Amino acid sequence: MSTKTTIYLSDLHFEHQQWLKELVFWEDEIALYNKRLEEIIGRYTDVSIKAEMEHFQNQFIRHDEVIDILKHDVRKHESQLVKYAQDHPVAIEHVHFNDHTELRDRMETQRKIYADLKTEFYSFYPRICKTGLRGITTFCFIVVRFDRNGDQTFFYFGVKICGLFVFKLQVI
């Protein structure tokens, strides 16, 4: 005999909203990664580097497909809960629902798979920056400013460019 975990509707709804936002964020990230790969793929003639780029493009396409399926399934479950809430407005605060463990397990699995892909991508990306991207990879300088009283203020200004843009301004 299996025991099913029960949960309040508001908790299920919260989790659905969190998942949908996470999935949309992943979509945005993947679009950014794909755009960057499209921008730089023409710069390389090395077959092995092009093959790795295509590997990531294919993986991103596959993750987009899984994201679409998960979004559909989360919305479907959410709409079932909404229908129940509309049909039983008084009981909704007192009724426990079956927990959506199968959907939660799928989200956790996808979260791990996507995190592994990002780790793999972030270990690949700096290699192509070092081997083929032209331009500044690190840029840094210190500015000294004197105010009217002759006091000095030091600013550290740094930019690291390797496809991804990092900007830092700090008062020393």
Side-chain angles (χ1 to χ4, degrees):
M1 180 177 173
S2 67
T3 56
K4 290 193 173 191
T5 306
T6 58
I7 190 169
Y8 285 106
L9 177 72
S10 61
D11 297 330
L12 291 172
H13 176 69
F14 174 80
E15 202 163 29
H16 287 160
Q17 296 306 306
Q18 176 191 2
W19 291 343
L20 289 171
K21 289 177 182 177
E22 186 175 9
L23 292 167
V24 167
F25 178 77
W26 292 349
E27 282 179 323
D28 291 345
E29 266 189 326
I30 289 171
L32 179 68
Y33 300 150
N34 272 323
K35 182 178 182 205
R36 187 64 187 139
L37 284 174
E38 288 170 7
E39 289 172 358
I40 63 175
I41 199 165
R43 297 178 186 174
Y44 293 92
T45 57
D46 185 304
V47 175
S48 64
I49 291 178
K50 281 190 177 264
E52 285 185 87
M53 288 183 182
E54 288 175 12
H55 158 75
F56 285 110
Q57 287 176 324
N58 291 336
Q59 288 297 309
F60 294 147
I61 289 168
R62 178 62 188 132
H63 280 279
D64 271 337
E65 292 169 352
V66 172
I67 288 169
D68 287 342
I69 292 167
L70 283 168
K71 282 172 48 178
H72 173 267
D73 293 349
V74 169
R75 287 181 179 134
K76 181 179 177 184
H77 193 246
E78 182 74 9
S79 68
Q80 291 168 347
L81 295 175
V82 167
K83 181 167 177 18
Y84 184 87
Q86 290 171 342
D87 293 346
H88 308 88
V90 175
I92 206 64
E93 296 297 323
H94 308 288
V95 175
H96 284 83
F97 295 84
N98 288 334
D99 194 3
H100 48 208
T101 53
E102 184 266 334
L103 194 53
R104 184 179 297 111
D105 290 344
R106 287 174 48 208
M107 277 296 298
E108 288 175 8
T109 299
Q110 184 61 24
R111 193 176 288 125
K112 289 174 188 170
I113 292 169
Y114 183 58
D116 289 345
L117 177 64
K118 283 175 56 173
T119 300
E120 183 184 354
F121 182 71
Y122 283 125
S123 69
F124 163 74
Y125 194 75
R127 284 193 336 233
I128 62 171
C129 288
K130 290 178 186 172
T131 61
L133 289 181
R134 300 194 192 327
I136 299 169
T137 56
T138 304
F139 180 75
C140 167
F141 63 89
I142 295 178
V143 175
V144 180
R145 189 188 86 197
F146 294 92
D147 64 11
R148 292 181 183 185
N149 298 330
D151 295 328
Q152 298 178 8
T153 304
F154 294 90
F155 295 92
Y156 165 82
F157 177 83
V159 178
K160 182 179 180 185
I161 302 172
C162 188
L164 300 176
F165 190 112
V166 177
F167 174 81
K168 183 175 183 178
L169 176 62
Q170 180 178 348
V171 176
I172 302 173

